[in-house]
PDB file of all heavy atoms in Angstrom:
ATOM      1  N   ALA P   7       8.374   3.458   8.869  1.00 97.00           N
ATOM      2  CA  ALA P   7       7.497   3.440   7.680  1.00 97.00           C
ATOM      3  C   ALA P   7       7.419   2.023   7.097  1.00 97.00           C
ATOM      4  O   ALA P   7       8.397   1.280   7.132  1.00 97.00           O
ATOM      5  CB  ALA P   7       8.023   4.436   6.617  1.00 97.00           C
ATOM      6  N   VAL P   8       6.297   1.668   6.579  1.00 98.00           N
ATOM      7  CA  VAL P   8       6.053   0.377   5.929  1.00 98.00           C
ATOM      8  C   VAL P   8       5.822   0.578   4.453  1.00 98.00           C
ATOM      9  O   VAL P   8       6.522  -0.051   3.643  1.00 98.00           O
ATOM     10  CB  VAL P   8       4.878  -0.317   6.556  1.00 98.00           C
ATOM     11  CG1 VAL P   8       4.514  -1.511   5.799  1.00 98.00           C
ATOM     12  CG2 VAL P   8       5.077  -0.638   8.039  1.00 98.00           C
ATOM     13  N   SER P   9       4.918   1.538   4.076  1.00 98.00           N
ATOM     14  CA  SER P   9       4.637   1.726   2.691  1.00 98.00           C
ATOM     15  C   SER P   9       3.927   3.013   2.430  1.00 98.00           C
ATOM     16  O   SER P   9       3.329   3.542   3.440  1.00 98.00           O
ATOM     17  CB  SER P   9       3.744   0.546   2.203  1.00 98.00           C
ATOM     18  OG  SER P   9       3.334   0.642   0.840  1.00 98.00           O
ATOM     19  N   CYS P  10       3.896   3.535   1.234  1.00 98.00           N
ATOM     20  CA  CYS P  10       3.134   4.697   0.918  1.00 98.00           C
ATOM     21  C   CYS P  10       2.685   4.674  -0.547  1.00 98.00           C
ATOM     22  O   CYS P  10       3.254   3.942  -1.360  1.00 98.00           O
ATOM     23  CB  CYS P  10       3.908   5.976   1.191  1.00 98.00           C
ATOM     24  SG  CYS P  10       5.367   6.264   0.128  1.00 98.00           S
ATOM     25  N   ILE P  11       1.691   5.455  -0.850  1.00 97.00           N
ATOM     26  CA  ILE P  11       1.161   5.642  -2.238  1.00 97.00           C
ATOM     27  C   ILE P  11       0.851   7.124  -2.377  1.00 97.00           C
ATOM     28  O   ILE P  11       0.206   7.685  -1.578  1.00 97.00           O
ATOM     29  CB  ILE P  11      -0.126   4.846  -2.520  1.00 97.00           C
ATOM     30  CG1 ILE P  11       0.052   3.325  -2.268  1.00 97.00           C
ATOM     31  CG2 ILE P  11      -0.580   5.022  -3.980  1.00 97.00           C
ATOM     32  CD1 ILE P  11      -1.171   2.470  -2.484  1.00 97.00           C
ATOM     33  N   SER P  12       1.312   7.669  -3.553  1.00 96.00           N
ATOM     34  CA  SER P  12       0.961   9.089  -3.737  1.00 96.00           C
ATOM     35  C   SER P  12      -0.487   9.304  -4.103  1.00 96.00           C
ATOM     36  O   SER P  12      -1.180   8.336  -4.395  1.00 96.00           O
ATOM     37  CB  SER P  12       1.884   9.552  -4.929  1.00 96.00           C
ATOM     38  OG  SER P  12       1.577   8.920  -6.155  1.00 96.00           O
ATOM     39  N   SER P  13      -0.913  10.582  -4.131  1.00 95.00           N
ATOM     40  CA  SER P  13      -2.311  10.800  -4.380  1.00 95.00           C
ATOM     41  C   SER P  13      -2.724  10.377  -5.747  1.00 95.00           C
ATOM     42  O   SER P  13      -3.904   9.959  -5.969  1.00 95.00           O
ATOM     43  CB  SER P  13      -2.566  12.367  -4.221  1.00 95.00           C
ATOM     44  OG  SER P  13      -1.702  13.120  -5.102  1.00 95.00           O
ATOM     45  N   SER P  14      -1.814  10.432  -6.715  1.00 93.00           N
ATOM     46  CA  SER P  14      -2.151  10.047  -8.081  1.00 93.00           C
ATOM     47  C   SER P  14      -2.038   8.554  -8.318  1.00 93.00           C
ATOM     48  O   SER P  14      -2.533   7.956  -9.261  1.00 93.00           O
ATOM     49  CB  SER P  14      -1.170  10.702  -9.054  1.00 93.00           C
ATOM     50  OG  SER P  14       0.121  10.196  -8.889  1.00 93.00           O
ATOM     51  N   GLY P  15      -1.412   7.937  -7.274  1.00 92.00           N
ATOM     52  CA  GLY P  15      -1.213   6.430  -7.410  1.00 92.00           C
ATOM     53  C   GLY P  15       0.021   6.120  -8.232  1.00 92.00           C
ATOM     54  O   GLY P  15       0.387   4.902  -8.389  1.00 92.00           O
ATOM     55  N   GLY P  16       0.740   7.125  -8.780  1.00 93.00           N
ATOM     56  CA  GLY P  16       1.850   6.937  -9.610  1.00 93.00           C
ATOM     57  C   GLY P  16       3.162   6.506  -8.901  1.00 93.00           C
ATOM     58  O   GLY P  16       4.029   5.982  -9.540  1.00 93.00           O
ATOM     59  N   SER P  17       3.221   6.786  -7.655  1.00 95.00           N
ATOM     60  CA  SER P  17       4.431   6.415  -6.847  1.00 95.00           C
ATOM     61  C   SER P  17       3.968   5.551  -5.644  1.00 95.00           C
ATOM     62  O   SER P  17       3.111   5.811  -4.936  1.00 95.00           O
ATOM     63  CB  SER P  17       5.084   7.631  -6.265  1.00 95.00           C
ATOM     64  OG  SER P  17       5.558   8.448  -7.326  1.00 95.00           O
ATOM     65  N   ARG P  18       4.687   4.413  -5.646  1.00 96.00           N
ATOM     66  CA  ARG P  18       4.497   3.378  -4.532  1.00 96.00           C
ATOM     67  C   ARG P  18       5.842   2.978  -3.963  1.00 96.00           C
ATOM     68  O   ARG P  18       6.729   2.654  -4.754  1.00 96.00           O
ATOM     69  CB  ARG P  18       3.724   2.190  -5.017  1.00 96.00           C
ATOM     70  CG  ARG P  18       2.321   2.472  -5.542  1.00 96.00           C
ATOM     71  CD  ARG P  18       1.724   1.285  -6.273  1.00 96.00           C
ATOM     72  NE  ARG P  18       0.354   1.630  -6.738  1.00 96.00           N
ATOM     73  CZ  ARG P  18      -0.728   1.106  -6.239  1.00 96.00           C
ATOM     74  NH1 ARG P  18      -0.612   0.290  -5.201  1.00 96.00           N
ATOM     75  NH2 ARG P  18      -1.892   1.429  -6.749  1.00 96.00           N
ATOM     76  N   ASN P  19       5.966   2.913  -2.710  1.00 97.00           N
ATOM     77  CA  ASN P  19       7.239   2.563  -2.082  1.00 97.00           C
ATOM     78  C   ASN P  19       7.006   1.638  -0.840  1.00 97.00           C
ATOM     79  O   ASN P  19       5.934   1.789  -0.173  1.00 97.00           O
ATOM     80  CB  ASN P  19       8.035   3.775  -1.653  1.00 97.00           C
ATOM     81  CG  ASN P  19       8.664   4.453  -2.827  1.00 97.00           C
ATOM     82  OD1 ASN P  19       9.533   4.039  -3.524  1.00 97.00           O
ATOM     83  ND2 ASN P  19       8.216   5.656  -3.126  1.00 97.00           N
ATOM     84  N   TYR P  20       7.937   0.756  -0.642  1.00 97.00           N
ATOM     85  CA  TYR P  20       7.890  -0.276   0.435  1.00 97.00           C
ATOM     86  C   TYR P  20       9.186  -0.240   1.190  1.00 97.00           C
ATOM     87  O   TYR P  20      10.227  -0.038   0.564  1.00 97.00           O
ATOM     88  CB  TYR P  20       7.549  -1.629  -0.010  1.00 97.00           C
ATOM     89  CG  TYR P  20       6.232  -1.744  -0.637  1.00 97.00           C
ATOM     90  CD1 TYR P  20       6.009  -1.533  -1.987  1.00 97.00           C
ATOM     91  CD2 TYR P  20       5.078  -2.175   0.140  1.00 97.00           C
ATOM     92  CE1 TYR P  20       4.751  -1.739  -2.563  1.00 97.00           C
ATOM     93  CE2 TYR P  20       3.849  -2.321  -0.386  1.00 97.00           C
ATOM     94  CZ  TYR P  20       3.630  -2.142  -1.765  1.00 97.00           C
ATOM     95  OH  TYR P  20       2.417  -2.260  -2.320  1.00 97.00           O
ATOM     96  N   ALA P  21       9.086  -0.441   2.539  1.00 97.00           N
ATOM     97  CA  ALA P  21      10.343  -0.620   3.254  1.00 97.00           C
ATOM     98  C   ALA P  21      10.928  -1.986   2.830  1.00 97.00           C
ATOM     99  O   ALA P  21      10.255  -2.930   2.416  1.00 97.00           O
ATOM    100  CB  ALA P  21      10.001  -0.742   4.758  1.00 97.00           C
ATOM    101  N   ASP P  22      12.229  -2.095   2.881  1.00 97.00           N
ATOM    102  CA  ASP P  22      12.952  -3.278   2.359  1.00 97.00           C
ATOM    103  C   ASP P  22      12.492  -4.583   3.167  1.00 97.00           C
ATOM    104  O   ASP P  22      12.421  -5.580   2.543  1.00 97.00           O
ATOM    105  CB  ASP P  22      14.440  -3.170   2.533  1.00 97.00           C
ATOM    106  CG  ASP P  22      15.035  -2.137   1.486  1.00 97.00           C
ATOM    107  OD1 ASP P  22      14.429  -1.846   0.478  1.00 97.00           O
ATOM    108  OD2 ASP P  22      16.232  -1.703   1.741  1.00 97.00           O
ATOM    109  N   SER P  23      12.133  -4.394   4.399  1.00 96.00           N
ATOM    110  CA  SER P  23      11.778  -5.491   5.226  1.00 96.00           C
ATOM    111  C   SER P  23      10.457  -6.112   4.844  1.00 96.00           C
ATOM    112  O   SER P  23      10.189  -7.276   5.191  1.00 96.00           O
ATOM    113  CB  SER P  23      11.679  -5.026   6.702  1.00 96.00           C
ATOM    114  OG  SER P  23      10.762  -4.018   6.912  1.00 96.00           O
ATOM    115  N   VAL P  24       9.627  -5.478   4.043  1.00 98.00           N
ATOM    116  CA  VAL P  24       8.291  -6.002   3.708  1.00 98.00           C
ATOM    117  C   VAL P  24       8.096  -6.163   2.226  1.00 98.00           C
ATOM    118  O   VAL P  24       7.102  -6.748   1.794  1.00 98.00           O
ATOM    119  CB  VAL P  24       7.162  -5.084   4.169  1.00 98.00           C
ATOM    120  CG1 VAL P  24       7.314  -4.871   5.741  1.00 98.00           C
ATOM    121  CG2 VAL P  24       7.082  -3.759   3.533  1.00 98.00           C
ATOM    122  N   LYS P  25       9.159  -5.767   1.386  1.00 97.00           N
ATOM    123  CA  LYS P  25       9.035  -5.912  -0.076  1.00 97.00           C
ATOM    124  C   LYS P  25       8.779  -7.447  -0.452  1.00 97.00           C
ATOM    125  O   LYS P  25       9.476  -8.317   0.052  1.00 97.00           O
ATOM    126  CB  LYS P  25      10.284  -5.364  -0.719  1.00 97.00           C
ATOM    127  CG  LYS P  25      10.316  -3.867  -0.774  1.00 97.00           C
ATOM    128  CD  LYS P  25      11.608  -3.463  -1.480  1.00 97.00           C
ATOM    129  CE  LYS P  25      11.697  -1.952  -1.546  1.00 97.00           C
ATOM    130  NZ  LYS P  25      12.973  -1.495  -2.169  1.00 97.00           N
ATOM    131  N   GLY P  26       7.852  -7.619  -1.324  1.00 97.00           N
ATOM    132  CA  GLY P  26       7.475  -8.974  -1.780  1.00 97.00           C
ATOM    133  C   GLY P  26       6.553  -9.682  -0.897  1.00 97.00           C
ATOM    134  O   GLY P  26       5.988 -10.753  -1.305  1.00 97.00           O
ATOM    135  N   ARG P  27       6.292  -9.150   0.235  1.00 98.00           N
ATOM    136  CA  ARG P  27       5.347  -9.828   1.244  1.00 98.00           C
ATOM    137  C   ARG P  27       4.095  -8.972   1.488  1.00 98.00           C
ATOM    138  O   ARG P  27       2.960  -9.549   1.651  1.00 98.00           O
ATOM    139  CB  ARG P  27       6.070 -10.066   2.617  1.00 98.00           C
ATOM    140  CG  ARG P  27       7.279 -11.003   2.439  1.00 98.00           C
ATOM    141  CD  ARG P  27       7.745 -11.400   3.834  1.00 98.00           C
ATOM    142  NE  ARG P  27       8.174 -10.252   4.613  1.00 98.00           N
ATOM    143  CZ  ARG P  27       7.617  -9.855   5.759  1.00 98.00           C
ATOM    144  NH1 ARG P  27       6.587 -10.552   6.270  1.00 98.00           N
ATOM    145  NH2 ARG P  27       8.057  -8.835   6.410  1.00 98.00           N
ATOM    146  N   PHE P  28       4.265  -7.668   1.543  1.00 98.00           N
ATOM    147  CA  PHE P  28       3.144  -6.722   1.837  1.00 98.00           C
ATOM    148  C   PHE P  28       2.730  -5.973   0.539  1.00 98.00           C
ATOM    149  O   PHE P  28       3.615  -5.692  -0.254  1.00 98.00           O
ATOM    150  CB  PHE P  28       3.495  -5.640   2.877  1.00 98.00           C
ATOM    151  CG  PHE P  28       3.709  -6.219   4.311  1.00 98.00           C
ATOM    152  CD1 PHE P  28       3.756  -7.558   4.601  1.00 98.00           C
ATOM    153  CD2 PHE P  28       3.820  -5.340   5.268  1.00 98.00           C
ATOM    154  CE1 PHE P  28       3.851  -8.045   5.808  1.00 98.00           C
ATOM    155  CE2 PHE P  28       4.050  -5.835   6.626  1.00 98.00           C
ATOM    156  CZ  PHE P  28       4.012  -7.179   6.839  1.00 98.00           C
ATOM    157  N   THR P  29       1.474  -5.730   0.346  1.00 98.00           N
ATOM    158  CA  THR P  29       0.952  -4.969  -0.792  1.00 98.00           C
ATOM    159  C   THR P  29      -0.017  -3.912  -0.273  1.00 98.00           C
ATOM    160  O   THR P  29      -0.988  -4.296   0.398  1.00 98.00           O
ATOM    161  CB  THR P  29       0.212  -5.871  -1.789  1.00 98.00           C
ATOM    162  OG1 THR P  29       1.115  -6.943  -2.216  1.00 98.00           O
ATOM    163  CG2 THR P  29      -0.280  -5.060  -2.946  1.00 98.00           C
ATOM    164  N   MET P  30       0.287  -2.658  -0.603  1.00 98.00           N
ATOM    165  CA  MET P  30      -0.624  -1.511  -0.266  1.00 98.00           C
ATOM    166  C   MET P  30      -1.450  -1.195  -1.478  1.00 98.00           C
ATOM    167  O   MET P  30      -0.997  -1.227  -2.580  1.00 98.00           O
ATOM    168  CB  MET P  30       0.159  -0.358   0.208  1.00 98.00           C
ATOM    169  CG  MET P  30      -0.624   0.767   0.730  1.00 98.00           C
ATOM    170  SD  MET P  30       0.367   2.182   1.235  1.00 98.00           S
ATOM    171  CE  MET P  30      -0.899   3.372   1.718  1.00 98.00           C
ATOM    172  N   SER P  31      -2.738  -0.806  -1.215  1.00 97.00           N
ATOM    173  CA  SER P  31      -3.614  -0.305  -2.320  1.00 97.00           C
ATOM    174  C   SER P  31      -4.546   0.686  -1.748  1.00 97.00           C
ATOM    175  O   SER P  31      -4.723   0.913  -0.539  1.00 97.00           O
ATOM    176  CB  SER P  31      -4.441  -1.603  -2.864  1.00 97.00           C
ATOM    177  OG  SER P  31      -5.286  -2.069  -1.826  1.00 97.00           O
ATOM    178  N   ARG P  32      -5.250   1.458  -2.693  1.00 94.00           N
ATOM    179  CA  ARG P  32      -6.160   2.423  -2.320  1.00 94.00           C
ATOM    180  C   ARG P  32      -7.440   2.394  -3.102  1.00 94.00           C
ATOM    181  O   ARG P  32      -7.307   2.004  -4.370  1.00 94.00           O
ATOM    182  CB  ARG P  32      -5.569   3.864  -2.343  1.00 94.00           C
ATOM    183  CG  ARG P  32      -5.175   4.335  -3.744  1.00 94.00           C
ATOM    184  CD  ARG P  32      -4.404   5.720  -3.644  1.00 94.00           C
ATOM    185  NE  ARG P  32      -5.185   6.680  -2.968  1.00 94.00           N
ATOM    186  CZ  ARG P  32      -4.669   7.865  -2.526  1.00 94.00           C
ATOM    187  NH1 ARG P  32      -3.375   8.046  -2.690  1.00 94.00           N
ATOM    188  NH2 ARG P  32      -5.457   8.744  -1.985  1.00 94.00           N
ATOM    189  N   ASP P  33      -8.573   2.562  -2.589  1.00 94.00           N
ATOM    190  CA  ASP P  33      -9.861   2.622  -3.295  1.00 94.00           C
ATOM    191  C   ASP P  33     -10.504   3.924  -2.973  1.00 94.00           C
ATOM    192  O   ASP P  33     -11.209   4.046  -1.964  1.00 94.00           O
ATOM    193  CB  ASP P  33     -10.681   1.394  -2.864  1.00 94.00           C
ATOM    194  CG  ASP P  33     -11.954   1.264  -3.693  1.00 94.00           C
ATOM    195  OD1 ASP P  33     -12.354   2.267  -4.337  1.00 94.00           O
ATOM    196  OD2 ASP P  33     -12.521   0.154  -3.775  1.00 94.00           O
ATOM    197  N   ASN P  34     -10.338   4.925  -3.801  1.00 89.00           N
ATOM    198  CA  ASN P  34     -10.842   6.235  -3.541  1.00 89.00           C
ATOM    199  C   ASN P  34     -12.334   6.242  -3.567  1.00 89.00           C
ATOM    200  O   ASN P  34     -12.994   7.083  -2.818  1.00 89.00           O
ATOM    201  CB  ASN P  34     -10.306   7.272  -4.548  1.00 89.00           C
ATOM    202  CG  ASN P  34      -8.846   7.510  -4.358  1.00 89.00           C
ATOM    203  OD1 ASN P  34      -8.228   7.221  -3.360  1.00 89.00           O
ATOM    204  ND2 ASN P  34      -8.224   8.222  -5.307  1.00 89.00           N
ATOM    205  N   ALA P  35     -12.975   5.369  -4.298  1.00 93.00           N
ATOM    206  CA  ALA P  35     -14.435   5.294  -4.332  1.00 93.00           C
ATOM    207  C   ALA P  35     -15.014   4.964  -2.955  1.00 93.00           C
ATOM    208  O   ALA P  35     -16.064   5.432  -2.659  1.00 93.00           O
ATOM    209  CB  ALA P  35     -14.917   4.379  -5.443  1.00 93.00           C
ATOM    210  N   LYS P  36     -14.257   4.174  -2.196  1.00 96.00           N
ATOM    211  CA  LYS P  36     -14.665   3.795  -0.866  1.00 96.00           C
ATOM    212  C   LYS P  36     -14.043   4.604   0.178  1.00 96.00           C
ATOM    213  O   LYS P  36     -14.298   4.312   1.444  1.00 96.00           O
ATOM    214  CB  LYS P  36     -14.326   2.274  -0.634  1.00 96.00           C
ATOM    215  CG  LYS P  36     -15.072   1.319  -1.581  1.00 96.00           C
ATOM    216  CD  LYS P  36     -14.735  -0.118  -1.204  1.00 96.00           C
ATOM    217  CE  LYS P  36     -15.572  -1.065  -2.062  1.00 96.00           C
ATOM    218  NZ  LYS P  36     -15.129  -2.470  -1.755  1.00 96.00           N
ATOM    219  N   ASN P  37     -13.102   5.504  -0.203  1.00 96.00           N
ATOM    220  CA  ASN P  37     -12.434   6.361   0.734  1.00 96.00           C
ATOM    221  C   ASN P  37     -11.680   5.494   1.763  1.00 96.00           C
ATOM    222  O   ASN P  37     -11.664   5.845   2.925  1.00 96.00           O
ATOM    223  CB  ASN P  37     -13.385   7.355   1.465  1.00 96.00           C
ATOM    224  CG  ASN P  37     -12.811   8.728   1.541  1.00 96.00           C
ATOM    225  OD1 ASN P  37     -11.939   9.186   0.737  1.00 96.00           O
ATOM    226  ND2 ASN P  37     -13.190   9.466   2.610  1.00 96.00           N
ATOM    227  N   THR P  38     -11.060   4.526   1.286  1.00 97.00           N
ATOM    228  CA  THR P  38     -10.441   3.486   2.101  1.00 97.00           C
ATOM    229  C   THR P  38      -9.089   3.033   1.437  1.00 97.00           C
ATOM    230  O   THR P  38      -8.989   3.003   0.288  1.00 97.00           O
ATOM    231  CB  THR P  38     -11.344   2.338   2.349  1.00 97.00           C
ATOM    232  OG1 THR P  38     -12.613   2.693   2.857  1.00 97.00           O
ATOM    233  CG2 THR P  38     -10.696   1.280   3.226  1.00 97.00           C
ATOM    234  N   PHE P  39      -8.132   2.705   2.284  1.00 97.00           N
ATOM    235  CA  PHE P  39      -6.951   2.041   1.735  1.00 97.00           C
ATOM    236  C   PHE P  39      -6.526   0.906   2.582  1.00 97.00           C
ATOM    237  O   PHE P  39      -7.046   0.698   3.718  1.00 97.00           O
ATOM    238  CB  PHE P  39      -5.762   3.060   1.480  1.00 97.00           C
ATOM    239  CG  PHE P  39      -5.284   3.795   2.703  1.00 97.00           C
ATOM    240  CD1 PHE P  39      -4.208   3.384   3.414  1.00 97.00           C
ATOM    241  CD2 PHE P  39      -5.920   4.970   3.057  1.00 97.00           C
ATOM    242  CE1 PHE P  39      -3.685   4.200   4.490  1.00 97.00           C
ATOM    243  CE2 PHE P  39      -5.454   5.751   4.178  1.00 97.00           C
ATOM    244  CZ  PHE P  39      -4.333   5.311   4.817  1.00 97.00           C
ATOM    245  N   TYR P  40      -5.673   0.041   2.115  1.00 98.00           N
ATOM    246  CA  TYR P  40      -5.503  -1.305   2.616  1.00 98.00           C
ATOM    247  C   TYR P  40      -4.000  -1.671   2.643  1.00 98.00           C
ATOM    248  O   TYR P  40      -3.122  -1.146   1.995  1.00 98.00           O
ATOM    249  CB  TYR P  40      -6.242  -2.351   1.820  1.00 98.00           C
ATOM    250  CG  TYR P  40      -7.569  -2.032   1.456  1.00 98.00           C
ATOM    251  CD1 TYR P  40      -7.920  -1.366   0.329  1.00 98.00           C
ATOM    252  CD2 TYR P  40      -8.585  -2.418   2.319  1.00 98.00           C
ATOM    253  CE1 TYR P  40      -9.330  -1.019   0.080  1.00 98.00           C
ATOM    254  CE2 TYR P  40      -9.892  -2.161   2.067  1.00 98.00           C
ATOM    255  CZ  TYR P  40     -10.280  -1.446   0.936  1.00 98.00           C
ATOM    256  OH  TYR P  40     -11.573  -1.143   0.676  1.00 98.00           O
ATOM    257  N   LEU P  41      -3.737  -2.635   3.505  1.00 98.00           N
ATOM    258  CA  LEU P  41      -2.399  -3.274   3.567  1.00 98.00           C
ATOM    259  C   LEU P  41      -2.617  -4.774   3.679  1.00 98.00           C
ATOM    260  O   LEU P  41      -2.980  -5.236   4.688  1.00 98.00           O
ATOM    261  CB  LEU P  41      -1.513  -2.790   4.788  1.00 98.00           C
ATOM    262  CG  LEU P  41      -0.145  -3.271   4.845  1.00 98.00           C
ATOM    263  CD1 LEU P  41       0.658  -2.709   3.645  1.00 98.00           C
ATOM    264  CD2 LEU P  41       0.513  -2.970   6.214  1.00 98.00           C
ATOM    265  N   GLN P  42      -2.266  -5.465   2.565  1.00 98.00           N
ATOM    266  CA  GLN P  42      -2.326  -6.939   2.605  1.00 98.00           C
ATOM    267  C   GLN P  42      -0.967  -7.410   3.075  1.00 98.00           C
ATOM    268  O   GLN P  42       0.062  -7.171   2.339  1.00 98.00           O
ATOM    269  CB  GLN P  42      -2.692  -7.463   1.157  1.00 98.00           C
ATOM    270  CG  GLN P  42      -2.715  -8.922   1.069  1.00 98.00           C
ATOM    271  CD  GLN P  42      -3.784  -9.604   1.947  1.00 98.00           C
ATOM    272  OE1 GLN P  42      -4.952  -9.154   1.890  1.00 98.00           O
ATOM    273  NE2 GLN P  42      -3.506 -10.572   2.648  1.00 98.00           N
ATOM    274  N   MET P  43      -0.977  -8.234   4.024  1.00 98.00           N
ATOM    275  CA  MET P  43       0.280  -8.718   4.636  1.00 98.00           C
ATOM    276  C   MET P  43       0.328 -10.279   4.495  1.00 98.00           C
ATOM    277  O   MET P  43      -0.531 -11.031   5.094  1.00 98.00           O
ATOM    278  CB  MET P  43       0.371  -8.397   6.135  1.00 98.00           C
ATOM    279  CG  MET P  43       0.342  -6.852   6.390  1.00 98.00           C
ATOM    280  SD  MET P  43       0.578  -6.376   8.120  1.00 98.00           S
ATOM    281  CE  MET P  43      -0.870  -7.116   8.764  1.00 98.00           C
ATOM    282  N   ASN P  44       1.250 -10.763   3.723  1.00 98.00           N
ATOM    283  CA  ASN P  44       1.439 -12.114   3.556  1.00 98.00           C
ATOM    284  C   ASN P  44       2.773 -12.652   4.082  1.00 98.00           C
ATOM    285  O   ASN P  44       3.692 -11.860   4.332  1.00 98.00           O
ATOM    286  CB  ASN P  44       1.363 -12.535   2.053  1.00 98.00           C
ATOM    287  CG  ASN P  44       0.051 -12.206   1.402  1.00 98.00           C
ATOM    288  OD1 ASN P  44      -1.019 -12.260   2.031  1.00 98.00           O
ATOM    289  ND2 ASN P  44       0.052 -11.710   0.190  1.00 98.00           N
TER     290      ASN P  44
END
């Protein structure tokens, strides 16, 4: 696992190996979600 977001958006979790570097987001209007990796 890398990351997850609950349906409500209220819970977000990241694996320790990617914390501070990766950001997950969701855009329900576009029916799309993303993983920004820095």
Side-chain angles (χ1 to χ4, degrees):
V8 174
S9 181
C10 66
I11 304 177
S12 63
S13 59
S14 68
S17 296
R18 297 167 180 257
N19 287 291
Y20 295 89
D22 288 343
S23 59
V24 307
K25 285 181 180 177
R27 300 189 299 117
F28 291 10
T29 302
M30 185 179 178
S31 61
R32 65 189 301 166
D33 187 340
N34 288 348
K36 296 182 178 179
N37 221 29
T38 303
F39 57 100
Y40 309 91
L41 184 67
Q42 178 65 46
M43 304 183 293
N44 299 325

